[in-house]
Amino acid sequence: MIFLPLLAAALLALPRLGTRAVLSIWIAAAALDLALVVVMWAGYDGGIAYETRLRWIPSLGAGFHVGVDGLSLPLIAMTALLFLACAIYSWRETERVRSYAALFLFLQTVSIGLFAALDLLLFFVFFDLSIVGMYFVIVGWGHGDRARSALKFFLYTFLGSLVLLLGFIGLFLAGGTFDMVELIRTPPAASALVLPAIGVGLAVKTPTVPVHTWLPPAHTDAPAAGSAILAGVLLKMGTYGFARIAMPMLPEAWRAYAWMIIVVGVVSVLYGALVALAQENLKRLIAYTSVNHMGYIVLALGAAGLAAGDPRARELAVSGAVTQMVSHGLITGALFLLTGVLWDRARAYDLGRFGGIAAGAPVFTALTAVAAFASLGLPGLSGFIAEFQIFTGVIGAGAVLAGALSIAGILITAALLLRVLHRAFLGPPGELTGRMIEARPSEVAAVAPLLLLSLVIGIMPRWLLDLIEPAAAALVSLVSR
Amino acid sequence: MTGMAENPLDLLPELLILAGAVAGLLVGLFVPRGRQRVVAWICGTALAASMTAGAVAMTGQDVMAFESFAVDLATNATRLAVAGASLLIVVLAAGWARGDSRETEVYVLVLLSALGTIVLAGASDLLVFVAAYLLASIPAYALAGFAKDAHGTEAALKYYLMGAFLGVLMLAGVTLTYGLAGTTAYRSLAGAPPAAAGCAVLLLLAGVLFKVGAVPAHFWVPDVTEGSSPVVAAFVTTVPKIGAFVGLFRLATEVFGGTWRPVVALIAVATMTLGNLAAFYQDNVRRLLAYSTISQAGYLLLPVVVAGRSDLAQPALLFYVAAYAITNAGAFAVVVAVGRDSPAGYTGLSRRSPLLALALVVCLLGLVGTPPTAVFAGKLLVFAAAWDGGYAWLAVIAVINTVASVFYYLRWILPLFRPGGVPAEIRPVASRIAELAAALSVLLGLASGALLALYSPF
């Protein structure tokens, strides 16, 4: 399943494929991959399932070791869906389609591989390759000052990944293996520097304040589908890494640093929301709300390390964090695809130059409104479920002040997203409104399923939470060791 | 070392290269100018045979040949890497030197220098080491000035003067060591008086640092790389490094005391930092590659720093050198294939020749150390070895340097994907070599496990 997209990418190398044929292969591969994930989900019954272990570098205790559990399966499913949405969205893409599709298929392999990896070295390989893939997406198909943004993206995240590698080497030297399952079973007595190294490495990718500066330019100048993947999937690699690697492998250090992590989370929440409020460029605005949303996750995971807190509350926080990862992927993916529609028609993201879009493009407006409400955490949508769990968990675990401050973050995001709707979609027409024509079927077909799933999670989250909660409980018990 | 032997067959890989060089030279003397291609075949066959013999030797026992040449894992790995890299270079050179009145000489000089490099790695006696140093260097000087134009002459002169000066320093080191210890065999040297031994170590280091192109003996690298032809540049920045590093590692484990560690660590830091900083704004891809090889030499010094302190040091070094050699040769092969010196000359290569562009991307990202290329595995081992040996700060500096290096490699990658600008005629043989090297680099990275299992000190 991991390598299916890559095989499809190899298929694209065949000569004489027309543009439509390339896109059809891409969509078919993404759909098939999603179908496989659904089958896996249906057959999943607890613990680590579908485990595969091949030898790779036995002398370093590193191997091709993959498997899924309640932590990774939801993310893999979200990833597969989002990539399918991007494939459908790109149905009208005409510029160098073959390499574009191949790059996305490559990224899909890398992303799913990362979430399934149970070996630190394998995790790192996928982590690094995701940077390379996204760099070429931005350089090749972005707009604006794309070379500069891509370079900044590459340098920052690559620095992060190398610091992460140092942390992994530290874990390896302390534990004698790169195998995650082994390392989780017996947490190594690593030196005090290992968690900071891993933490900084993952924080750059997440990104949290103050290492988020690469994110807004990268998002703004990437193509719509690229931004959707970057925000929806690649950012999760950071938070997932915290939950998968940092917490269970270094429980003592995680508990020791818990308050620091909470503070970073709260600052990210507030700073992201406030800076987003000041943005005129819609895409930058959404990029900063990502900083805000990732802040909630970091906050929740930090609260899970508060040893004094009620374990039930901490489980709730972790479960909320995982739900938020899924939910943010769906919603932000949808939002970025929708801003791509704006760019496609008007070549601009400036809020001030639009207005009254609702009159000419009701479907587009409706989709954007739903996505915005989902993003601000309206009950009935997935963001609410996630954020409710996070806040209840965080406050229950003892970080009352942090929880209260972060709720202010929700207020600010609500205000700014409503302001977006108000300025761009309602009111008198702006100078660029005339160019806005209705969303095309392929665009609707890409965005609607994401929002629909968000709605489904929002109304009946049980099927998802049943999967996440045991994993969250296991994680909390691991971090309490 | 399990035993002493005086069996010439222990040196079969070296003898095969020597035989290839001699046969090539003789045949070249009698064959008309237009048909000297046959010499390339002879030399290539000799290298391939030498690789085979080296691979066979790998399965055998460690021995000490003639009490002065160690045949062990390190030597065997060097034999394979040097012969393999030289083989790539001979094929590259065959396209470049065709029809030249001195075509034969190119191949023969490459072979002789490669032979010196292998002996450098296996030498277990300072006198053998010096002889190997000269054998590896002198053909390279001649190659650098091969084109006989102004740039080439300047390059050769600079290369020669620097090499001669540092070689003399090294000889002084050997003399001093001999005076102190009364012997030049590595195994008898360990107990020399420390103060004077420190001085001798520094003098010995001088020659080796010249060969690997490390600070402060690095000045020849950019000039030779830019001044001589790309094929020669590919050779002198790739092959001698393999043997010189293995030789240095052997010296470090068997001869030097312990006080030199901080010195080599400082040299490593200076080398990688200076190489990277100087590469930043180079507008000539060959100078860029030259400074990149300097910075790579800095990373390669890391395992030398922790030689004897970490079990990972030796596999890290052996693996990294081989990975580096293939990747660097691949990058130079692209330069040979395209024949342009400014990054802007590569504009639009991704459309004109997608495979070649891909090969360049793989090689350059490989030099950065992106998985799953071979250099990534090498870097991983090197960092782990440095950390394991108590030099975590050095690993951190190496990481910072790696990130800095991304910048200039990307400056070269970017134009590939810009529209427009059709590059000049692309040489097919060199392109195949570049693609082969890129593929090998990825394969070696993926197969690193199997290879590391051979180095089994774990």
Side-chain angles (χ1 to χ4, degrees):
Chain A
M1 189 192 80
I2 294 172
F3 292 102
L4 174 85
L6 205 59
L7 280 181
L11 197 64
L12 293 181
L14 291 178
R16 270 192 248 284
L17 281 179
T19 302
R20 286 280 164 266
V22 167
L23 289 168
S24 309
I25 291 179
W26 181 11
I27 293 175
L32 185 60
D33 217 31
L34 180 61
L36 285 177
V37 175
V38 171
V39 171
M40 266 174 74
W41 189 308
Y44 177 81
D45 54 355
I48 294 175
Y50 306 104
E51 211 172 339
T52 309
R53 197 193 291 251
L54 297 172
R55 288 156 60 86
W56 182 31
I57 311 181
S59 52
L60 289 181
F64 183 83
H65 188 183
V66 293
V68 296
D69 64 3
L71 220 53
S72 48
L73 193 51
L75 285 170
I76 291 176
M78 183 272 288
T79 304
L81 179 66
L82 199 56
F83 271 99
L84 178 59
C86 287
I88 297 173
Y89 177 85
S90 305
W91 181 245
R92 298 181 56 88
E93 184 71 40
T94 49
E95 197 190 342
R96 283 171 291 152
V97 176
R98 193 190 293 243
S99 24
Y100 189 68
L103 259 181
F104 272 91
L105 288 166
F106 169 76
L107 273 173
Q108 185 171 1
T109 287
V110 166
S111 309
I112 294 180
L114 181 126
F115 292 127
L118 288 177
D119 183 278
L120 286 180
L121 213 52
L122 193 63
F123 181 92
F124 181 78
V125 167
F126 287 131
F127 193 87
D128 232 19
L129 286 178
S130 75
I131 299 174
V132 176
M134 189 45 75
Y135 169 78
F136 284 115
V137 168
I138 299 177
V139 164
W141 290 267
H143 41 256
D145 195 359
R146 60 191 186 187
R148 197 184 157 78
S149 303
L151 185 64
K152 193 170 181 187
F153 161 76
F154 200 109
L155 287 182
Y156 269 71
T157 47
F158 201 74
L159 176 65
S161 83
L162 285 173
V163 176
L164 183 67
L165 179 62
L166 277 185
F168 285 179
I169 291 176
L171 272 178
F172 162 68
L173 290 175
T177 175
F178 277 107
D179 195 89
M180 288 192 197
V181 179
E182 298 274 326
L183 286 170
I184 291 173
R185 193 179 305 136
T186 47
S191 75
L193 284 174
V194 172
L195 182 66
I198 291 180
V200 169
L202 294 171
V204 171
K205 187 95 177 179
T206 298
T208 62
V209 174
V211 285
H212 66 284
T213 45
W214 60 269
L215 178 95
H219 271 311
T220 313
D221 296 337
S227 304
I229 296 300
L230 182 53
V233 179
L234 266 51
L235 299 192
K236 306 302 173 305
M237 293 181 176
T239 49
Y240 173 75
F242 281 124
R244 167 65 71 202
I245 296 166
M247 293 172 72
M249 289 182 202
L250 300 159
E252 246 171 76
W254 187 266
R255 291 200 302 271
Y257 283 99
W259 276 107
M260 228 168 95
I261 295 159
I262 291 175
V263 168
V264 170
V266 172
V267 173
S268 296
V269 164
L270 292 178
Y271 179 85
L274 286 172
V275 179
L277 189 61
Q279 296 304 316
E280 270 299 302
N281 179 319
L282 180 60
K283 224 172 167 187
R284 280 183 90 85
L285 184 149
I286 300 175
Y288 275 108
T289 61
S290 290
V291 176
N292 160 276
H293 283 114
M294 292 293 110
Y296 295 133
I297 300 177
V298 174
L299 168 68
L301 295 179
L306 293 175
D310 171 19
R312 292 282 312 280
R314 291 155 63 202
E315 282 168 26
L316 201 58
V318 172
S319 149
V322 180
T323 316
Q324 174 77 326
M325 290 186 216
V326 176
S327 151
H328 178 260
L330 299 174
I331 297 166
T332 310
L335 272 174
F336 273 121
L337 292 180
L338 287 166
T339 56
V341 176
L342 277 187
W343 178 263
D344 182 55
R345 316 287 197 274
R347 301 274 141 190
Y349 298 122
D350 307 301
L351 285 173
R353 296 166 72 190
F354 291 99
I357 295 176
V363 177
F364 175 64
T365 306
L367 287 174
T368 312
V370 174
F373 282 121
S375 180
L376 63 83
L378 193 76
L381 291 157
S382 61
F384 173 74
I385 305 286
E387 281 158 25
F388 179 76
Q389 291 187 77
I390 290 179
F391 291 127
T392 317
V394 168
I395 293 173
V400 180
L401 183 66
L405 280 173
S406 314
I407 291 182
I410 292 211
L411 272 180
I412 304 173
T413 35
L416 72 96
L417 286 166
L418 289 176
R419 196 165 140 267
V420 168
L421 290 180
H422 179 75
R423 289 181 63 189
F425 292 89
L426 308 171
E431 58 164 307
L432 294 173
T433 307
R435 299 203 208 157
M436 289 307 303
I437 49 171
E438 187 53 291
R440 300 194 180 90
S442 65
E443 289 158 357
V444 176
V447 175
L450 299 175
L451 296 176
L452 197 66
L453 190 61
S454 171
L455 188 68
V456 170
I457 295 175
I459 294 171
M460 22 180 222
R462 216 49 259 166
W463 57 277
L464 179 65
L465 294 183
D466 280 343
L467 186 65
I468 294 176
E469 273 166 1
L475 185 60
V476 168
S477 73
L478 284 173
V479 90
S480 312
R481 277 182 292 180
Chain B
M1 304 303 137
T2 49
M4 294 276 199
E6 308 224 331
N7 179 4
L9 277 183
D10 291 335
L11 300 178
L12 186 60
E14 288 75 24
L15 292 176
L16 281 169
I17 295 184
L18 183 64
V22 172
L25 193 60
L26 288 176
V27 170
L29 281 177
F30 295 105
V31 167
R33 187 187 292 185
R35 292 174 37 203
Q36 298 208 333
R37 175 57 67 87
V38 67
V39 179
W41 282 105
I42 293 175
C43 292
T45 315
L47 287 171
S50 168
M51 278 182 86
T52 319
V56 172
M58 211 156 208
T59 59
Q61 270 187 330
D62 289 357
V63 289
M64 180 71 92
F66 300 98
E67 300 189 28
S68 56
F69 187 83
V71 179
D72 57 9
L73 183 69
T75 307
N76 282 322
T78 314
R79 284 167 164 173
L80 288 181
V82 168
S86 306
L87 189 57
L88 288 182
I89 305 269
V90 165
V91 180
L92 262 187
W96 159 69
R98 183 195 312 194
D100 193 287
S101 59
R102 291 167 293 149
E103 190 180 346
T104 300
E105 281 86 332
V106 177
Y107 312 129
V108 173
L109 288 174
V110 165
L111 252 65
L112 289 176
S113 185
L115 177 61
T117 302
I118 296 179
V119 180
L120 210 50
S124 278
D125 185 294
L126 286 177
L127 290 177
V128 177
F129 191 80
V130 169
Y133 172 86
L134 293 174
L135 181 56
S137 303
I138 294 170
Y141 305 147
L143 280 174
F146 194 76
K148 279 191 177 167
D149 55 3
H151 286 299
T153 313
E154 189 196 329
L157 203 61
K158 200 160 190 177
Y159 194 18
Y160 169 69
L161 286 178
M162 194 115 193
F165 173 61
L166 293 168
V168 168
L169 284 187
M170 189 170 85
L171 264 180
V174 174
T175 317
L176 189 56
T177 317
Y178 183 65
L180 288 171
T183 174
T184 51
Y186 287 6
R187 61 178 60 220
S188 331
L189 279 174
C199 190
V201 164
L202 271 186
L203 289 169
L204 285 175
L205 263 180
V208 187
L209 292 182
F210 163 76
K211 276 273 80 156
V212 303
V215 170
H218 66 283
F219 293 106
W220 62 273
V221 180
D223 291 312
V224 172
T225 317
E226 192 189 6
S228 47
S229 83
V231 178
V232 174
F235 180 75
V236 296
T237 58
T238 305
V239 175
K241 243 178 222 184
I242 310 173
F245 267 114
V246 177
L248 178 60
F249 190 85
R250 200 183 290 282
L251 278 174
T253 27
E254 296 180 20
V255 179
F256 299 172
T259 46
W260 49 273
R261 280 185 215 277
V263 179
V264 180
L266 284 181
I267 293 174
V269 170
T271 305
M272 61 178 95
T273 312
L274 196 122
N276 277 328
L277 292 183
F280 259 40
Y281 289 102
Q282 294 299 334
D283 268 326
N284 178 316
V285 293
R286 277 200 268 159
R287 281 190 91 83
L288 191 153
L289 277 179
Y291 282 110
S292 116
T293 73
I294 296 178
S295 72
Q296 299 280 343
Y299 307 132
L300 276 163
L301 283 171
L302 258 57
V304 177
V305 173
V306 293
R309 273 225 206 155
S310 164
D311 285 343
L312 282 168
Q314 199 195 26
L317 181 87
L318 295 179
F319 193 82
Y320 198 141
V321 202
Y324 160 78
I326 289 177
T327 316
N328 196 49
F332 270 105
V334 177
V335 179
V336 176
V338 177
R340 295 288 182 87
D341 271 348
S342 74
Y346 293 77
T347 307
L349 189 65
S350 68
R351 279 183 211 197
R352 165 77 191 262
S353 176
L355 266 184
L356 186 60
L358 184 67
L360 182 60
V361 170
V362 169
C363 287
L364 291 182
L365 288 180
L367 287 175
V368 174
T370 310
T373 59
V375 177
F376 163 69
K379 271 202 171 147
L380 175 75
L381 288 165
V382 165
F383 292 164
W387 187 320
D388 195 29
Y391 276 83
W393 62 270
L394 202 54
V396 171
I397 291 182
V399 162
I400 295 171
N401 262 292
T402 303
V403 175
S405 74
V406 174
F407 175 73
Y408 59 82
Y409 291 119
L410 286 184
R411 275 186 66 223
W412 189 5
I413 291 180
L414 266 180
L416 298 177
F417 298 93
R418 291 212 183 99
V422 182
E425 182 194 0
I426 289 173
R427 294 185 186 82
V429 177
S431 318
R432 293 298 97 72
I433 292 287
E435 286 149 22
L436 176 69
L440 275 178
S441 157
V442 173
L443 281 179
L444 194 59
L446 291 177
S448 47
L451 287 171
L452 285 172
L454 292 174
Y455 311 147
S456 38
F458 299 100

